Amino acid sequence: MVVARSIALKAVNTASLWGLNRSRFGGLPKVQTVRALSTIMSPPSKAVVYEHHGPPDSVTRMIELPPVEVQENQVCVKMLATPINPSDINRIEGVYPVRPQVPAVGGYEGVGEVYSVGSAVKGLSPGDLVIPSPPSSGTWQTYVVKDHEIWHKISKDSPIEYAATVTVNPLTALRMLEDFTTLSTGDSIVQNGATSIVGQCVIQLARYRGIHSISIIRDRAGSDEVKERLKALGADEVFTESQLEVKNVKSLLSNIPEPALGLNCVGGHAASLVLKFLRQGGTMVTYGGMSKKPVTVSTSSFIFKDLSLRGFWLQKWLSADKAKECRDMVDYLLRLAQEGKLKYEMELVPFDKFHSALEKALGKHGSQPKQVIKF
């Protein structure tokens, strides 16, 4: 009892210092001062935290978190890998529409191994490979304690780096291909931002279904190499923006039909190029705005082509009671990754090099692969 009380008191002091409670730092429960010997405790955890919103490279820091109680319906997971996504950065900056209350642990998706389970937990055991599904905040730490319903058990054969990144980007690509228009074998789509993870997934998922894809990339050094890389993934045509400064972009297509669906994550002029390709009655879906410029549409496009403009936000889709559907699709995407039918470039970075990875994710070193933290 003396040992247990000593651990608890140490945890209380540290938790009080950082103001931990259930709603902060990834949902870690409060630590009580009196415990029985049978209480299950998590190991101490290292975490990347931020106490207020601002530039991520300025407001984040790595700290030690104390052991916490694993309550009867909770699971303690030892994290194995977690990515740095643009939405993670936006949450820290305070500009994302949905974000945890500060102070908070960063991160929103990842993969881990069950370390211990509460007494009432069924269906999960130590050693199981799990992901938070739907995603849940607070994954940038070595041990995460959350309710058992958060965790989805996946195949132990799943590639760790893909399991860590499967939910946000690949799932976005899959939903956009399925939710806005009916696509059949032989149809085509057009997209900008094709080098993004979503863009790469769109190309491969479309090819897998027999759908042609036209990709638009920005003009930059090495664009020919980028084109070849995207075509190797399955893109039928890849154009730089300057190549599309012609009166009739559809004349550039050979045996590809006019696209029924366009995907826009850039905005501004790049969005207008997507619209130029669309067929009569086509739909453009906007899911990002990297240029920070608005989408503008000519009056003739609306009147004579009857185009539709839609928006997609994965978080809204996930919040619409889609937990089971989400998990089924995650399993499907992981099977494709395991079979080599879905791939994208990533860089695995040790957790103690987190801030170096963050700088790359912030674009301070030019174009970089997806940064994935490995614990």
Side-chain angles (χ1 to χ4, degrees), residues 79-339:
M79 295 303 293
L80 301 176
T82 180
I84 303 177
N85 288 319
S87 56
D88 296 324
I89 291 170
N90 291 157
R91 286 184 178 89
I92 297 171
E93 292 170 332
V95 299
Y96 203 72
V98 177
R99 52 190 181 270
Q101 181 183 357
V102 292
V105 173
Y108 189 60
E109 65 173 333
V111 62
E113 183 179 83
V114 173
Y115 181 82
S116 61
V117 299
S119 58
V121 173
K122 307 295 182 183
L124 290 175
S125 304
D128 286 343
L129 200 63
V130 294
I131 63 172
S133 178
S136 180
S137 61
T139 57
W140 291 353
Q141 56 183 315
T142 50
Y143 291 89
V144 177
V145 177
K146 287 182 181 287
D147 189 273
H148 72 101
E149 291 185 353
I150 292 291
W151 301 107
H152 173 49
K153 182 179 175 180
I154 61 175
S155 169
K156 288 188 176 181
D157 295 329
S158 301
I160 294 300
E161 64 272 29
Y162 286 95
T165 57
V166 67
T167 307
V168 173
N169 293 147
L171 187 55
T172 293
L174 180 59
R175 290 319 319 160
M176 292 193 299
L177 288 174
E178 294 192 348
D179 287 354
F180 296 95
T181 190
T182 301
L183 296 170
S184 303
T185 300
D187 285 344
S188 70
I189 63 168
V190 58
Q191 66 170 339
N192 58 33
T195 58
S196 68
I197 300 296
V198 173
Q200 294 176 58
C201 290
V202 164
I203 290 169
Q204 294 168 88
L205 292 172
R207 179 182 64 174
Y208 187 64
R209 298 173 178 212
I211 298 167
H212 301 289
S213 64
I214 303 157
S215 292
I216 303 169
I217 62 174
R218 61 185 175 87
D219 291 271
R220 60 179 176 182
S223 58
D224 288 340
E225 295 177 5
V226 174
K227 288 182 181 181
E228 292 306 313
R229 192 161 67 244
L230 294 179
K231 286 183 177 181
L233 291 177
D236 292 89
E237 296 284 359
V238 184
F239 301 105
T240 60
E241 293 181 5
S242 63
Q243 285 182 286
L244 302 179
E245 299 302 328
V246 296
K247 186 174 182 180
N248 182 14
V249 297
K250 294 169 187 175
S251 65
L252 300 173
L253 303 179
S254 51
N255 298 319
I256 301 176
E258 293 179 353
L261 177 67
L263 305 177
N264 164 51
C265 68
V266 181
H269 181 59
S272 300
L273 294 176
V274 170
L275 291 168
K276 289 172 70 173
F277 274 104
L278 290 179
R279 74 184 186 192
Q280 181 80 19
T283 299
M284 183 175 79
V285 180
T286 293
Y287 66 100
M290 292 189 295
S291 72
K292 299 184 179 179
K293 295 180 181 178
V295 173
T296 57
V297 187
S298 67
T299 302
S300 62
S301 293
F302 272 133
I303 297 176
F304 302 118
K305 292 183 67 177
D306 191 27
L307 299 181
S308 297
L309 302 184
R310 301 288 301 277
F312 179 78
W313 183 29
L314 181 65
Q315 178 118 12
K316 182 178 180 181
W317 184 87
L318 290 171
S319 65
D321 196 24
K322 299 285 188 179
K324 184 181 185 307
E325 192 174 351
C326 170
R327 293 180 176 189
D328 289 343
M329 288 184 292
V330 161
D331 291 341
Y332 165 72
L333 291 165
L334 284 176
R335 284 196 299 271
L336 292 181
Q338 186 177 347
E339 295 168 2

Side-chain angles (χ1 to χ4, degrees), residues 72-84:
E72 63 176 10
N73 288 314
Q74 291 183 324
V75 175
C76 174
V77 172
K78 180 182 185 299
M79 295 303 293
L80 301 176
T82 180
I84 303 177

